[in-house]
Amino acid sequence: MKVLVINSGSSSIKYQLLDMNTESVLCTGLVERIGEEEGRLVHKVAPDTEASKKITLEQPIADHEAGMVLAIDLICGPNGVVKDKSEIAAIGHRIVHGGENLHEPTLIDDAVVEELEKIIPLAPLHNPGHLAGIRVARHLFADVPQVVVMDTAYHQTLPPKAYMYALPHELYDELRIRRYGFHGTSHGYVAKEAARLMHRPFETFNCITVHLGNGCSMTATANGKAVDTSMGITPLEGLVMGTRSGDVDPALHALLARTRNMTSEDVDQMLNKESGLKGLCGMNDMRDIHAAIEMGDKKAELALDVQTYRNRKYIGSYMAVLGRVDAIIFTAGIGENDYIVRRNTLQGLDCFGIKIDKMVNAQRASEPLKISTDDSAIEVWVIPTNEELAIARQTKEFVN
Ligand code: ADP
C-alpha cells in the first residue's frame, strides 16, 4: 500500500511517498518559492538508500497546482517510482492547527475544508497553505481517499488547568483562546517509540519529550497521554527557538508600542522572525553558533546559555507536573545532533538522579540511542523523529 504525505505551506509543498507494506520511503520532494519569479523543485528517489537519485528543476512555479503537477510527473511519470497515479492508495495531509474540533485523523470532505477555513485566524501562517495543498490534491487525485492529520491532535488530552490561560473567560468562550500545543505528531511518535524501546506499555508510560529543531517545544506525557506542553495558542510560546522568542513578558507589546511606536504586527513579526537565537546572537543555526563560540563569540555563548537554561527550566517544571518520569527524550535537528545542547540542558539535574553517559551522548547515531547511564533514575534517549512516517501510519490505519 502506497501513501503520499503532503505538507503544503504558503509558498512550498513538501511531499513523501511511502510504501507502507515495508514502511520505506520511495521518494521525497520539496517544491519551493511558489508564485515567485524563480521556483525550485528538488525531488529525491529512494533517499535512504545507496541508489538514491536527486532531480532539481528550476523554473517559475505559478501556484500550488503547477507545483503539484510537476511533482506528480516526477512521482508517476515514465521514470517515476510508480507507473500511475492510481497506485497511490491514500494521501495524508499534515495540518499544523486543527483547532478544538479536529483531532483524530479525518477524511477530507467539504465540511473539513470549511472547518479549516474557520480556524485560519488561529493559524494565519499555516492553514491557508494547507488549504491550497488540499484543494489541489483533491482536484488532481479525485478518487484517492485523503486524510488530515493534525499537529495539534496529540495535545487534545491536556486538562483544562493546563490549556486555559488566566484571561477573561469570554476569550475562550468566544474565540477559543487556549493552549493548543504543536509538533504533536513528533511528540507522540517519539514518546511511543521510547515506550516500545523500553518494553513498557504506553498506557502507563510517563515521559518528557524535547523537540528541538527550528521550532522547539516540550511535552509532558502521563500514562500515554499529553498533559502539558510548552507551545500555546500559536507556536511562539515556550522554549527559545531559531528565530522565535518563546516566553516573554506579555506586557512587552504595550511597552514597545509606547517607547518605539511599534504596532502589534511589528512586535509579532519581531517575536516570530527576529528573536530567539537569531535575536540574541545574529545566527539561528546551532552549527553556526557552535563555530562562533569556538572563535570566542560571547553573544553566541549567551544564546546557547539562554536556550539550554530555558530547556532545563521546562524539564524541571514537567518533572513537577509528572512526579514519576520514566524517560526524557530528545528529538529533531538540534535534539538529535547536538550533544552540547543535550549536555547543557541536563546540567545540574544529577541531583534528581539523572546521569548522562558522556561518551555515549557524544556519539552520532541515526538510530535511537539511550544516553543515560544504567544507574540513572530516569532514562534519557535520543530518538530521531519521523513525522511523515507517523502521518502515513495514521493515514493507513484510518483508510484501512
Ligand atoms: P524544522 O523545525 O524546520 O523541522 P529541524 O528539526 O530539521 O527543523 O532542525 C533544524 C535545525 O537543527 C537547524 O536550524 C540547526 O540549528 C539544527 N541542526 C541540524 N543539524 C545539526 C547538527 N549536526 N548539529 C547541531 N545542530 C544541528
Side-chain angles (χ1 to χ4, degrees):
M1 177 185 187
K2 298 187 175 78
V3 174
L4 181 65
V5 175
I6 294 178
N7 181 1
S8 175
S10 55
S11 62
S12 67
I13 304 171
K14 245 183 180 172
Y15 59 86
Q16 188 168 115
L17 183 67
L18 296 103
D19 182 339
M20 290 308 289
N21 298 330
T22 52
E23 295 201 332
S24 56
V25 179
L26 300 173
C27 66
T28 64
L30 175 63
V31 188
E32 282 179 295
R33 299 188 220 133
I34 295 173
E36 292 179 28
E37 235 164 71
E38 251 330 298
R40 203 158 95 108
L41 194 172
V42 179
H43 177 83
K44 291 181 188 157
V45 178
D48 304 330
T49 68
E50 283 187 0
S52 74
K53 213 169 59 188
K54 184 166 133 183
I55 299 165
T56 306
L57 300 180
E58 281 181 338
Q59 63 187 78
I61 300 170
D63 51 24
H64 283 71
E65 174 130 6
M68 192 71 96
V69 167
L70 284 177
I72 291 173
D73 275 351
L74 291 170
I75 299 169
C76 314
N79 301 317
V81 288
V82 294
K83 289 295 157 247
D84 191 82
K85 273 200 315 196
S86 60
E87 285 183 48
I88 294 170
I91 297 178
H93 290 266
R94 179 193 181 212
I95 304 294
V96 164
H97 212 312
E100 270 207 326
N101 296 326
L102 289 174
H103 352 119
E104 295 306 313
T106 308
L107 196 67
I108 300 176
D109 57 14
D110 292 345
V112 168
V113 170
E114 225 171 87
E115 182 64 27
L116 288 171
E117 278 167 350
K118 248 199 277 174
I119 49 184
I120 284 178
L122 293 177
L125 299 179
H126 294 102
N127 279 20
H130 297 332
L131 280 160
I134 288 174
R135 282 196 197 98
V136 170
R138 286 182 88 194
H139 177 215
L140 297 172
F141 293 91
D143 301 325
V144 180
Q146 306 200 25
V147 174
V148 280
V149 179
M150 274 62 64
D151 243 18
T152 39
Y154 186 65
H155 296 118
Q156 285 293 323
T157 50
L158 259 54
K161 66 183 173 198
Y163 73 65
M164 284 301 283
Y165 290 114
L167 294 169
H169 205 287
E170 62 261 26
L171 290 181
Y172 174 70
D173 299 333
E174 289 163 21
L175 300 171
R176 289 287 174 259
I177 288 183
R178 50 162 283 183
R179 177 181 309 286
Y180 287 96
F182 298 88
H183 295 141
T185 307
S186 172
H187 287 290
Y189 175 82
V190 297
K192 282 175 201 146
E193 278 295 286
R196 187 181 64 80
L197 291 159
M198 290 167 66
H199 309 289
R200 296 281 306 270
F202 194 51
E203 302 70 50
T204 57
F205 192 61
N206 285 9
C207 67
I208 299 171
T209 41
V210 188
H211 177 112
L212 304 175
N214 282 314
C216 301
S217 65
M218 202 178 294
T219 293
T221 292
N223 297 319
K225 290 197 164 57
V227 292
D228 208 345
T229 192
S230 60
M231 282 178 165
I233 183 165
T234 76
L236 178 61
E237 195 180 340
L239 306 180
V240 175
M241 314 182 207
T243 64
R244 285 174 252 170
S245 62
D247 296 339
V248 290
D249 186 330
L252 184 70
H253 277 74
L255 188 143
L256 290 176
R258 276 198 308 273
T259 55
R260 283 207 169 174
N261 228 357
M262 286 171 81
T263 64
S264 59
E265 283 304 314
D266 294 338
V267 180
D268 199 49
Q269 173 81 9
M270 182 197 80
L271 293 175
N272 274 292
K273 304 268 185 215
E274 305 298 332
S275 301
L277 299 170
K278 185 178 176 200
L280 285 164
C281 72
M283 289 166 274
N284 59 296
D285 192 306
M286 207 33 112
R287 289 161 287 196
D288 297 336
I289 292 175
H290 288 305
I293 293 172
E294 290 277 304
M295 306 292 286
D297 185 329
K298 290 289 167 210
K299 283 186 179 163
E301 205 176 313
L302 176 70
L304 178 70
D305 273 355
V306 175
Q307 190 195 50
T308 52
Y309 174 70
R310 180 86 52 89
N311 292 345
R312 187 153 71 245
K313 228 161 71 162
Y314 265 88
I315 288 179
S317 70
Y318 287 170
M319 285 169 65
V321 165
L322 292 173
R324 189 198 86 230
V325 181
D326 300 314
I328 296 172
I329 302 128
F330 286 89
T331 193
I334 298 173
E336 289 165 30
N337 293 301
D338 196 323
Y339 76 93
I340 297 173
V341 167
R342 293 194 297 259
R343 182 194 69 197
N344 292 9
T345 293
L346 297 173
Q347 212 164 44
L349 297 184
D350 38 359
C351 59
F352 297 106
I354 299 175
K355 293 189 200 157
I356 294 301
D357 185 322
K358 288 195 184 96
M359 301 287 278
V360 179
N361 183 41
Q363 272 173 28
R364 270 221 167 178
S366 51
E367 297 296 316
L369 185 69
K370 188 180 100 174
I371 58 169
S372 50
T373 58
D374 286 340
D375 63 342
S376 176
I378 298 174
E379 291 196 16
V380 183
W381 284 80
V382 177
I383 300 185
T385 193
N386 195 338
E387 288 163 287
E388 286 78 14
L389 177 60
I391 292 170
R393 278 183 185 164
Q394 291 177 58
T395 303
K396 177 185 168 188
E397 204 173 300
F398 181 85
V399 172
N400 282 345

